[in-house]
Amino acid sequence: MKELISSAGLLHLYLNGYEEDGMLYTQQVNTYNHIEDGFYQQLMKTAEEADKDTKVVHIFAVAGIKEKVNQVLSIIEDELKSNYQRLLSGKKIKKASSKLDKTGNIFHRCVQEFFCEQPGHFPKRMYYDYDDFIVGGICCNHLSNEIGDSVINGICSLWLERESPALCGKQLMIRSFFMRDFIGRKVVAALPEIQTGAWRLLFEGGHQVLLSEEAPYMKETLHPDDLQAFCSSNLQSILLNPIYSYGKWFQPNDICEEWHKAFIYLCAVSDKEWDVPGISKVYEHFLSILEKNICTTMNAPPFISKEQYWNILLQYIHDFRKFLKGDDEPVISKDMYQTINTRYVYLPYLWQLVDIQMPQQRFLASEFHELINHAVDEKDTYKKGTLWEDTAAYMLSNVEGFKITGRRIRAGAQEIDLSVVNTSLDDEIWQLGAYILVECKNWTTHVNIHQIRNIAHISNMKGNKTAILFASNGLTEDAQEEISRLASEHLYVVCLTADELLQLNSAQECKDLIIAKWLYLQNSVDLASVI
């Protein structure tokens, strides 16, 4: 069987824009912000809406290492020509290629549908060569050739200036994706470089960024010499580097670490009981994906045996599983989790390595409503709390992509009612983050501000961005104000009441309610007031 062209390391991109009064206006959809079906839906929605304006130009591009981009473009262009012939013959167009992986085929489908299923779109090639990488694709517009070409070149130039794309190893990086990893991380210190005098920002997790335009994608780990001691991030850099056991230096090291964190996350959220034979086989397959698509490698003498390294990985996965169940863990687990909040876009390329079993939904409205009413009407305090937790668990286990990993977990002096992890390939669900803390309050009164602050305290310790509060009788006014304040700090406490739950009649409605409330909190934040 012929190997598919992997989209790992490539950026699939849709741009549109227009010129007005000498100003350029543009928007983008790309595979570093959206995955799988979410990418298709967002791209087509954006393109169709923009196409209502005849001044708008459309650009479908692939960016990355030359060989792969040229292969992808060749397939897309050849299929466009074939599809036009099919249309002339009264046949249906082909929307997939046996040569592309899933991500490549989603982009391929977008191009074929946009140009072949809608009249008036005449494709033209666009191609920018930057020696080590290229940005190439198909574009179109409804303007005259000269004006249209000028706007397309202007939009592409504006995108290139804003994003400063660069090939890091074999992966195309852009500025917005690079910076997303720092959202939600606290700045610990600003340190000067002794030799150059340049400044660098130190973030929790041991990451540091040089404040230099010359090195926009340097995300180094704090060196032991800076503190005259080893910190947890130094240990993590050693544990996540195959150079010590495999004798290969994967570069850039920080991107290698990001992919390792995504790999370990998948291993941790799977139901598989890992052992040395199992992890060794999967890990070596993972390294082959990295070497072929993401990193350049250099040979180096190994320090430890592969068997030792595999046992270290097993312990790493075990510790991270405990963290995702709600247990307190050191900074390493928190940093791994925070990375996954944005680097979940790597998961589709690793999904086939780990057997993730998606739980079967069995939502019955009548059963759910009976649970709610039983919990609300119960008089015994202990049973009342347990039944309400059962209600929350029933709802969340029927949201596709949510997996309950722990219940009534002690976190220091606090107790977490439910721990939920994200096992989806769904853009909307990933907005909530990889780990979600769930609290259940089946009170006859409103939940007050003190409970919201307790949730915030635990969330800050864990580093999560979303908590779901099942408050059967709602919130006090000051509790709601506190939730609004926390949203301005990028901590979203989604509150669900018994009355709201009784309105739900399907698993999709359960998901929609959570997403709608999360987006309301996000959109309600006034950035100007925060600053």
Side-chain angles (χ1 to χ4, degrees):
M1 182 178 178
K2 189 172 182 180
E3 190 173 358
L4 302 178
I5 300 171
S6 174
S7 297
L10 296 179
L11 178 72
H12 296 77
L13 168 72
Y14 167 73
L15 284 169
N16 69 44
Y18 62 94
E19 184 180 22
E20 188 172 80
D21 298 329
M23 297 288 290
L24 287 172
Y25 301 88
T26 183
Q27 57 183 335
Q28 68 169 306
V29 179
N30 65 57
T31 47
Y32 282 169
N33 286 327
H34 303 279
I35 57 174
E36 303 249 314
D37 291 341
F39 176 62
Y40 169 80
Q41 292 164 5
Q42 186 62 42
L43 191 159
M44 296 306 291
K45 176 183 176 182
T46 304
E48 289 169 6
E49 185 65 29
D51 203 37
K52 296 175 182 176
D53 189 339
T54 56
K55 297 182 297 183
V56 172
V57 302
H58 304 270
I59 302 162
F60 295 77
V62 183
I65 196 166
K66 286 186 176 182
E67 180 184 6
K68 287 172 71 172
V69 170
N70 282 329
Q71 287 177 323
V72 173
L73 290 180
S74 177
I75 292 168
I76 290 176
E77 290 175 345
D78 289 346
E79 202 57 49
L80 264 180
K81 295 174 184 176
S82 297
N83 275 331
Y84 283 131
Q85 292 301 317
R86 291 187 185 98
L87 287 173
L88 291 173
S89 302
K91 299 178 181 178
K92 292 182 178 180
I93 67 172
K94 288 179 63 176
K95 300 182 181 181
S97 169
S98 60
K99 299 176 183 178
L100 300 174
D101 67 359
K102 186 170 183 179
T103 300
N105 264 313
I106 290 171
F107 182 73
H108 178 271
R109 176 187 175 188
C110 293
V111 173
Q112 304 304 324
E113 289 186 0
F114 185 82
F115 285 99
C116 297
E117 293 189 346
Q118 302 177 65
H121 293 155
F122 304 104
K124 295 177 66 174
R125 201 170 206 252
M126 50 85 66
Y127 198 86
Y128 296 86
D129 191 329
Y130 295 93
D131 294 330
D132 56 345
F133 73 93
I134 56 177
V135 180
I138 312 293
C139 60
C140 74
N141 63 86
H142 299 291
L143 306 170
S144 65
N145 285 338
E146 184 177 349
I147 295 175
D149 290 346
S150 174
V151 176
I152 287 170
N153 287 330
I155 295 298
C156 290
S157 297
L158 180 60
W159 180 81
L160 290 165
E161 181 181 349
R162 286 178 177 176
E163 294 289 7
S164 298
L167 201 64
C168 298
K170 298 179 183 178
Q171 179 173 346
L172 196 284
M173 291 291 286
I174 56 176
R175 184 172 291 167
S176 60
F177 181 59
F178 173 74
M179 295 305 298
R180 279 179 67 199
D181 191 35
F182 297 94
I183 296 174
R185 295 183 187 268
K186 297 176 183 177
V187 178
V188 178
L191 302 174
E193 282 285 342
I194 298 176
Q195 292 86 356
T196 64
W199 286 82
R200 50 203 166 119
L201 292 180
L202 176 63
F203 292 80
E204 64 176 339
H207 299 298
Q208 57 179 349
V209 177
L210 298 176
L211 299 181
S212 167
E213 285 295 323
E214 289 75 29
Y217 300 118
M218 289 186 67
K219 185 181 68 177
E220 299 177 341
T221 301
L222 190 67
H223 195 274
D225 289 346
D226 295 313
L227 298 177
Q228 301 302 313
F230 274 89
C231 59
S232 58
S233 58
N234 300 133
L235 298 176
Q236 179 172 260
S237 293
I238 294 172
L239 295 174
L240 298 185
N241 194 333
I243 189 173
Y244 300 103
S245 56
Y246 280 82
K248 283 187 178 181
W249 186 14
F250 284 67
Q251 298 174 293
N253 189 59
D254 58 330
I255 293 179
C256 177
E257 282 190 21
E258 287 184 357
W259 281 83
H260 270 76
K261 291 171 185 176
F263 169 73
I264 289 172
Y265 179 80
L266 274 184
C267 291
V269 300
S270 73
D271 293 322
K272 189 174 180 63
E273 293 298 325
W274 295 103
D275 55 19
V276 168
I279 199 64
S280 61
K281 182 179 179 181
V282 170
Y283 183 68
E284 289 182 349
H285 191 178
F286 164 68
L287 288 185
S288 69
I289 292 175
L290 280 192
E291 187 169 7
K292 183 173 182 180
N293 301 290
I294 305 301
C295 297
T296 58
T297 59
M298 294 176 59
N299 292 329
F303 292 173
I304 63 174
S305 69
K306 293 179 180 179
E307 289 75 13
Q308 287 176 298
Y309 188 70
W310 297 332
N311 279 295
I312 292 171
L313 276 179
L314 289 175
Q315 186 60 49
Y316 222 113
I317 293 167
H318 173 74
D319 290 344
F320 195 41
R321 270 184 176 168
K322 288 174 61 181
F323 174 85
L324 294 175
K325 288 180 180 178
D327 286 358
D328 281 339
E329 285 293 320
V331 174
I332 290 178
S333 290
K334 181 179 178 181
D335 174 60
M336 285 221 311
Y337 160 71
Q338 289 177 314
T339 298
I340 294 300
N341 282 338
T342 58
R343 273 33 179 182
Y344 67 87
V345 297
Y346 297 156
L347 297 181
Y349 310 110
L350 306 177
W351 210 254
Q352 74 275 17
L353 297 179
V354 181
D355 185 21
I356 303 290
Q357 297 296 323
M358 303 298 285
Q360 294 294 316
Q361 294 182 4
R362 50 175 301 277
F363 185 93
L364 294 174
S366 58
E367 188 175 28
F368 183 50
H369 296 164
E370 184 179 351
L371 263 176
I372 299 168
N373 290 324
H374 192 184
V376 172
D377 294 339
E378 177 60 50
K379 303 303 180 185
D380 181 270
T381 304
Y382 177 78
K383 289 182 179 179
K384 192 176 184 71
T386 303
L387 287 169
W388 191 236
E389 288 175 12
D390 291 341
T391 302
Y394 186 96
M395 175 182 177
L396 296 175
S397 63
N398 279 285
V399 174
E400 187 174 359
F402 280 171
K403 178 181 178 182
I404 297 174
T405 54
R407 187 164 176 174
R408 297 206 170 184
I409 302 295
R410 299 296 301 183
Q414 306 292 331
E415 183 180 87
I416 296 173
D417 291 334
L418 294 171
S419 288
V420 175
V421 295
N422 197 336
T423 63
S424 74
L425 290 177
D426 184 317
D427 275 348
E428 289 188 315
I429 293 297
W430 271 107
Q431 293 176 101
L432 279 65
Y435 172 83
I436 298 165
L437 179 151
V438 181
E439 284 293 295
C440 304
K441 303 298 180 188
N442 191 12
W443 294 357
T444 55
T445 58
H446 298 325
V447 172
N448 58 43
I449 191 173
H450 302 295
Q451 299 302 319
I452 303 302
R453 287 176 175 169
N454 283 340
I455 292 172
H457 174 67
I458 301 173
S459 296
N460 286 328
M461 288 194 302
K462 300 289 289 184
N464 65 300
K465 62 189 290 189
T466 300
I468 300 177
L469 171 62
F470 285 80
S472 59
N473 278 292
L475 306 168
T476 60
E477 186 175 342
D478 59 352
Q480 184 59 63
E481 290 174 356
E482 182 68 4
I483 286 177
S484 298
R485 187 191 68 79
L486 291 171
S488 69
E489 299 177 0
H490 303 291
L491 173 59
Y492 305 100
V493 181
V494 173
C495 179
L496 305 174
T497 67
D499 287 342
E500 289 170 331
L501 300 189
L502 285 168
Q503 302 302 311
L504 303 175
N505 292 297
S506 69
Q508 183 62 43
E509 290 182 8
C510 293
K511 172 191 169 183
D512 291 345
L513 177 62
I514 293 171
I515 296 297
K517 291 217 164 202
W518 192 93
L519 289 174
Y520 174 81
L521 288 173
Q522 186 192 54
N523 296 334
S524 66
V525 175
D526 185 346
L527 186 60
S529 66
V530 175
I531 296 172

